mmCIF file of all heavy atoms in Angstrom:
data_model
loop_
_atom_site.group_PDB
_atom_site.id
_atom_site.type_symbol
_atom_site.label_atom_id
_atom_site.label_comp_id
_atom_site.label_asym_id
_atom_site.label_seq_id
_atom_site.Cartn_x
_atom_site.Cartn_y
_atom_site.Cartn_z
ATOM 1 N N GLN A 581 -22.259 -8.839 19.074
ATOM 2 C CA GLN A 581 -23.586 -8.505 19.603
ATOM 3 C C GLN A 581 -24.317 -7.519 18.690
ATOM 4 O O GLN A 581 -25.527 -7.642 18.464
ATOM 5 C CB GLN A 581 -23.464 -7.933 21.008
ATOM 6 C CG GLN A 581 -23.010 -8.940 22.032
ATOM 7 C CD GLN A 581 -22.784 -8.299 23.401
ATOM 8 O OE1 GLN A 581 -23.252 -7.196 23.670
ATOM 9 N NE2 GLN A 581 -22.059 -8.988 24.255
ATOM 10 N N LEU A 582 -23.586 -6.563 18.151
ATOM 11 C CA LEU A 582 -24.185 -5.572 17.262
ATOM 12 C C LEU A 582 -24.678 -6.225 15.977
ATOM 13 O O LEU A 582 -25.750 -5.873 15.466
ATOM 14 C CB LEU A 582 -23.182 -4.462 16.946
ATOM 15 C CG LEU A 582 -23.681 -3.300 16.108
ATOM 16 C CD1 LEU A 582 -24.878 -2.623 16.763
ATOM 17 C CD2 LEU A 582 -22.560 -2.291 15.894
ATOM 18 N N LEU A 583 -23.941 -7.193 15.466
ATOM 19 C CA LEU A 583 -24.394 -7.912 14.277
ATOM 20 C C LEU A 583 -25.705 -8.651 14.551
ATOM 21 O O LEU A 583 -26.607 -8.675 13.699
ATOM 22 C CB LEU A 583 -23.329 -8.891 13.795
ATOM 23 C CG LEU A 583 -22.152 -8.268 13.058
ATOM 24 C CD1 LEU A 583 -21.078 -9.317 12.809
ATOM 25 C CD2 LEU A 583 -22.607 -7.634 11.760
ATOM 26 N N GLY A 584 -25.809 -9.246 15.720
ATOM 27 C CA GLY A 584 -27.066 -9.913 16.097
ATOM 28 C C GLY A 584 -28.211 -8.928 16.173
ATOM 29 O O GLY A 584 -29.318 -9.199 15.677
ATOM 30 N N HIS A 585 -27.951 -7.773 16.768
ATOM 31 C CA HIS A 585 -28.985 -6.726 16.868
ATOM 32 C C HIS A 585 -29.378 -6.242 15.475
ATOM 33 O O HIS A 585 -30.567 -6.038 15.195
ATOM 34 C CB HIS A 585 -28.474 -5.561 17.711
ATOM 35 C CG HIS A 585 -29.422 -4.416 17.786
ATOM 36 N ND1 HIS A 585 -30.632 -4.484 18.446
ATOM 37 C CD2 HIS A 585 -29.350 -3.172 17.261
ATOM 38 C CE1 HIS A 585 -31.270 -3.326 18.322
ATOM 39 N NE2 HIS A 585 -30.505 -2.521 17.605
ATOM 40 N N ALA A 586 -28.393 -6.081 14.599
ATOM 41 C CA ALA A 586 -28.677 -5.619 13.238
ATOM 42 C C ALA A 586 -29.561 -6.616 12.506
ATOM 43 O O ALA A 586 -30.513 -6.220 11.823
ATOM 44 C CB ALA A 586 -27.367 -5.402 12.474
ATOM 45 N N SER A 587 -29.277 -7.895 12.657
ATOM 46 C CA SER A 587 -30.097 -8.921 12.006
ATOM 47 C C SER A 587 -31.535 -8.859 12.492
ATOM 48 O O SER A 587 -32.481 -8.943 11.690
ATOM 49 C CB SER A 587 -29.526 -10.311 12.285
ATOM 50 O OG SER A 587 -28.278 -10.457 11.673
ATOM 51 N N GLU A 588 -31.717 -8.707 13.794
ATOM 52 C CA GLU A 588 -33.065 -8.617 14.361
ATOM 53 C C GLU A 588 -33.792 -7.368 13.875
ATOM 54 O O GLU A 588 -34.963 -7.427 13.487
ATOM 55 C CB GLU A 588 -32.998 -8.617 15.884
ATOM 56 C CG GLU A 588 -32.543 -9.926 16.481
ATOM 57 C CD GLU A 588 -32.292 -9.833 17.978
ATOM 58 O OE1 GLU A 588 -32.594 -8.771 18.586
ATOM 59 O OE2 GLU A 588 -31.793 -10.820 18.543
ATOM 60 N N LEU A 589 -33.100 -6.247 13.896
ATOM 61 C CA LEU A 589 -33.722 -4.991 13.490
ATOM 62 C C LEU A 589 -34.102 -5.024 12.012
ATOM 63 O O LEU A 589 -35.198 -4.585 11.636
ATOM 64 C CB LEU A 589 -32.780 -3.811 13.763
ATOM 65 C CG LEU A 589 -33.346 -2.422 13.497
ATOM 66 C CD1 LEU A 589 -34.471 -2.113 14.485
ATOM 67 C CD2 LEU A 589 -32.255 -1.376 13.605
ATOM 68 N N LEU A 590 -33.220 -5.548 11.182
ATOM 69 C CA LEU A 590 -33.493 -5.572 9.751
ATOM 70 C C LEU A 590 -34.575 -6.583 9.373
ATOM 71 O O LEU A 590 -35.150 -6.499 8.292
ATOM 72 C CB LEU A 590 -32.201 -5.845 8.977
ATOM 73 C CG LEU A 590 -31.154 -4.731 9.093
ATOM 74 C CD1 LEU A 590 -29.851 -5.156 8.446
ATOM 75 C CD2 LEU A 590 -31.668 -3.427 8.508
ATOM 76 N N ALA A 591 -34.860 -7.526 10.255
ATOM 77 C CA ALA A 591 -35.936 -8.489 10.012
ATOM 78 C C ALA A 591 -37.307 -7.874 10.292
ATOM 79 O O ALA A 591 -38.329 -8.405 9.851
ATOM 80 C CB ALA A 591 -35.728 -9.736 10.868
ATOM 81 N N GLU A 592 -37.326 -6.766 11.027
ATOM 82 C CA GLU A 592 -38.577 -6.082 11.356
ATOM 83 C C GLU A 592 -39.143 -5.395 10.116
ATOM 84 O O GLU A 592 -38.411 -4.895 9.276
ATOM 85 C CB GLU A 592 -38.339 -5.026 12.439
ATOM 86 C CG GLU A 592 -37.970 -5.597 13.778
ATOM 87 C CD GLU A 592 -39.119 -6.345 14.424
ATOM 88 O OE1 GLU A 592 -40.280 -5.883 14.318
ATOM 89 O OE2 GLU A 592 -38.845 -7.386 15.028
ATOM 90 N N ARG A 593 -40.453 -5.363 10.044
ATOM 91 C CA ARG A 593 -41.110 -4.704 8.907
ATOM 92 C C ARG A 593 -41.151 -3.184 9.084
ATOM 93 O O ARG A 593 -41.065 -2.447 8.125
ATOM 94 C CB ARG A 593 -42.517 -5.234 8.741
ATOM 95 C CG ARG A 593 -42.550 -6.666 8.292
ATOM 96 C CD ARG A 593 -43.602 -6.825 7.222
ATOM 97 N NE ARG A 593 -43.658 -8.178 6.736
ATOM 98 C CZ ARG A 593 -43.067 -8.557 5.618
ATOM 99 N NH1 ARG A 593 -42.371 -7.713 4.921
ATOM 100 N NH2 ARG A 593 -43.191 -9.795 5.199
ATOM 101 N N ARG A 594 -41.301 -2.736 10.330
ATOM 102 C CA ARG A 594 -41.423 -1.298 10.583
ATOM 103 C C ARG A 594 -40.190 -0.789 11.313
ATOM 104 O O ARG A 594 -40.107 -0.857 12.529
ATOM 105 C CB ARG A 594 -42.665 -1.006 11.412
ATOM 106 C CG ARG A 594 -43.931 -1.231 10.642
ATOM 107 C CD ARG A 594 -45.114 -0.758 11.449
ATOM 108 N NE ARG A 594 -46.046 -1.870 11.525
ATOM 109 C CZ ARG A 594 -47.005 -1.986 12.395
ATOM 110 N NH1 ARG A 594 -47.163 -1.073 13.314
ATOM 111 N NH2 ARG A 594 -47.803 -3.019 12.372
ATOM 112 N N VAL A 595 -39.271 -0.301 10.553
ATOM 113 C CA VAL A 595 -38.046 0.279 11.104
ATOM 114 C C VAL A 595 -37.980 1.721 10.621
ATOM 115 O O VAL A 595 -38.138 1.997 9.431
ATOM 116 C CB VAL A 595 -36.788 -0.495 10.628
ATOM 117 C CG1 VAL A 595 -35.535 0.123 11.195
ATOM 118 C CG2 VAL A 595 -36.884 -1.963 11.022
ATOM 119 N N THR A 596 -37.729 2.626 11.551
ATOM 120 C CA THR A 596 -37.681 4.039 11.168
ATOM 121 C C THR A 596 -36.318 4.379 10.570
ATOM 122 O O THR A 596 -35.324 3.675 10.792
ATOM 123 C CB THR A 596 -37.929 4.947 12.384
ATOM 124 O OG1 THR A 596 -36.829 4.828 13.285
ATOM 125 C CG2 THR A 596 -39.237 4.584 13.087
ATOM 126 N N SER A 597 -36.290 5.467 9.860
ATOM 127 C CA SER A 597 -35.014 5.916 9.294
ATOM 128 C C SER A 597 -34.045 6.303 10.407
ATOM 129 O O SER A 597 -32.835 6.099 10.269
ATOM 130 C CB SER A 597 -35.223 7.083 8.334
ATOM 131 O OG SER A 597 -35.796 8.187 9.003
ATOM 132 N N ALA A 598 -34.555 6.804 11.513
ATOM 133 C CA ALA A 598 -33.689 7.155 12.643
ATOM 134 C C ALA A 598 -33.029 5.895 13.222
ATOM 135 O O ALA A 598 -31.844 5.908 13.566
ATOM 136 C CB ALA A 598 -34.481 7.885 13.715
#
Side-chain angles (χ1 to χ4, degrees):
Q581 292 175 17
L582 184 58
L583 284 172
H585 176 68
S587 294
E588 292 172 7
L589 185 67
L590 294 173
E592 293 292 321
R593 292 223 179 261
R594 290 187 234 161
V595 179
T596 68
S597 61

